[in-house]
Amino acid sequence: IVGSKNSYNIKALPGFKPSKPVVFCGLYPLDANDYAGLKDSLNKLKLNDSSFTFENESSVALGLGYRCGFLGLLHLEIIQERLKREFGLDLVVTPPSVVYEINGTDNKQTLLHNPADWPEQTKVKEVKEPWIKATIFSPDNYLGSIMQLCTDKRGIQNNINYTGNRVMLEYLLPLNEVIFDFHDKLKSLSKGYASFDYEILDYRPGKLDKVNILVNGENVESLSFISHKDKAVYRGRLICNKLKESIPKQLFKIAIQAAIGSKIIARETIGSLRKD
């Protein structure tokens, strides 16, 4: 504290920075009447968790909701579970996404929190995605499987150290590849023995595109996501298959498509109900 004891000119200690959310997803009430209750619940959680952020968002398919920011996947799961247990809310959670840096053809740099705000492709000069330094501890007999997993996730090996029969791996990974199923696959491959920790490094250019999901020709913006071009077809097919299993049959055929711009990269069709 600078000055007299009654002075309020307080300087923060060097090295401390305000926490910034790195993972974002949409929270929508299953029942539209719970929207006001969701707002009150989020405000109460914000009182004892300053790292949690939220703002209003609306979707044609899901209605009114909130775009929420989290420090990581565990933070997301904790908030989601607290809303369910403490406030009795049934929620629809959109797929998590990260913050991207977009350099436009007009040389302006913008931060993209929501895939719905993706600009026209002709106006995009370069897209950068956040990368992390991941540290993985595991018994050495699972080393081969873990290295293969990291390679499949576009990882770059940084370091490897042995301590007895345990190994410590350091990999550089794009955060976008980690937020979906990386942790689950890591636990499965190591039979639960591997531990995983990460820290944000920087933003790096990547071959990224926005994938739109179309149901019966209508674009469902809340299901759109940003993916690496090499993984877009796989993830598009995965979502189309899930939607085919989830959406009930109608009196007519329904086409479910994944598209990049005007190009269809995956398709599933829900058959119509029979007369009998």
Side-chain angles (χ1 to χ4, degrees):
I1 299 176
V2 180
S4 66
K5 65 178 181 179
N6 295 323
S7 173
Y8 291 97
N9 184 16
I10 301 173
K11 293 184 178 180
L13 292 173
F16 284 87
K17 296 180 181 179
S19 56
K20 293 182 179 180
V22 294
V23 176
F24 291 81
C25 76
L27 297 180
Y28 296 86
L30 202 59
D31 185 352
N33 295 325
D34 290 337
Y35 177 74
L38 175 59
K39 181 180 180 180
D40 292 339
S41 303
L42 293 177
N43 279 317
K44 289 176 181 177
L45 288 179
K46 177 71 175 175
L47 290 174
N48 58 19
D49 189 351
S50 60
S51 60
F52 169 63
T53 63
F54 64 93
E55 59 184 14
N56 294 325
E57 185 180 57
S58 62
S59 165
V60 176
L62 300 175
L64 295 174
Y66 290 93
R67 188 75 180 172
C68 304
F70 308 91
L71 295 178
L73 290 179
L74 179 61
H75 193 202
L76 187 157
E77 292 175 9
I78 290 171
I79 295 293
Q80 185 181 345
E81 196 64 26
R82 287 188 66 184
L83 289 170
K84 181 179 179 181
R85 292 187 183 185
E86 297 178 22
F87 302 101
L89 293 171
D90 292 322
L91 301 172
V92 177
V93 184
T94 61
S97 64
V98 298
V99 183
Y100 298 92
E101 281 186 5
I102 295 183
N103 295 324
T105 52
D106 55 357
N107 293 324
K108 289 185 178 179
Q109 187 181 83
T110 57
L111 294 177
L112 185 76
H113 297 80
N114 191 342
D117 299 328
W118 184 272
E120 293 180 17
Q121 196 62 39
T122 54
K123 297 180 180 179
V124 178
K125 182 180 179 181
E126 184 183 52
V127 183
K128 294 183 178 181
E129 60 182 334
W131 279 64
I132 63 171
K133 183 175 79 171
T135 305
I136 302 170
F137 288 93
S138 171
D140 56 6
N141 51 329
Y142 304 116
L143 178 62
S145 301
I146 293 173
M147 292 179 70
Q148 184 61 49
L149 173 63
C150 293
T151 303
D152 292 341
K153 296 293 185 180
R154 299 192 283 133
I156 302 171
Q157 186 176 320
N158 191 38
N159 196 8
I160 181 170
N161 289 312
Y162 285 90
T163 305
N165 63 344
R166 295 185 66 83
V167 62
M168 185 189 77
L169 282 167
E170 278 189 8
Y171 263 86
L172 305 183
L173 288 157
L175 184 58
N176 186 30
E177 297 285 350
V178 174
I179 62 176
F180 286 99
D181 56 359
F182 181 84
H183 190 262
D184 292 340
K185 287 185 176 180
L186 179 65
K187 289 295 184 181
S188 297
L189 291 173
S190 64
K191 298 181 180 178
Y193 286 106
S195 62
F196 168 71
D197 189 23
Y198 70 89
E199 60 178 289
I200 303 293
L201 281 182
D202 52 13
Y203 279 79
R204 301 184 183 185
K207 297 178 181 178
L208 302 166
D209 259 322
K210 177 187 176 184
V211 180
N212 293 311
I213 302 297
L214 292 83
V215 178
N216 202 27
E218 295 291 331
N219 183 19
V220 183
E221 199 63 61
S222 55
L223 294 178
S224 62
F225 60 92
I226 298 169
S227 173
H228 193 270
K229 291 182 179 180
D230 296 341
K231 303 289 184 72
V233 175
Y234 168 75
R235 286 190 57 195
R237 286 176 180 168
L238 197 65
I239 291 179
C240 287
N241 283 325
K242 289 287 185 182
L243 289 175
K244 183 181 179 181
E245 296 171 2
S246 304
I247 298 175
K249 288 186 177 182
Q250 306 294 322
L251 297 174
F252 50 89
K253 291 184 179 179
I254 297 176
I256 303 172
Q257 300 166 309
I260 296 177
S262 58
K263 181 182 178 182
I264 304 298
I265 60 172
R267 176 189 170 113
E268 292 289 342
T269 303
I270 302 175
S272 58
L273 289 168
R274 296 182 180 180
K275 291 182 180 179
D276 55 354

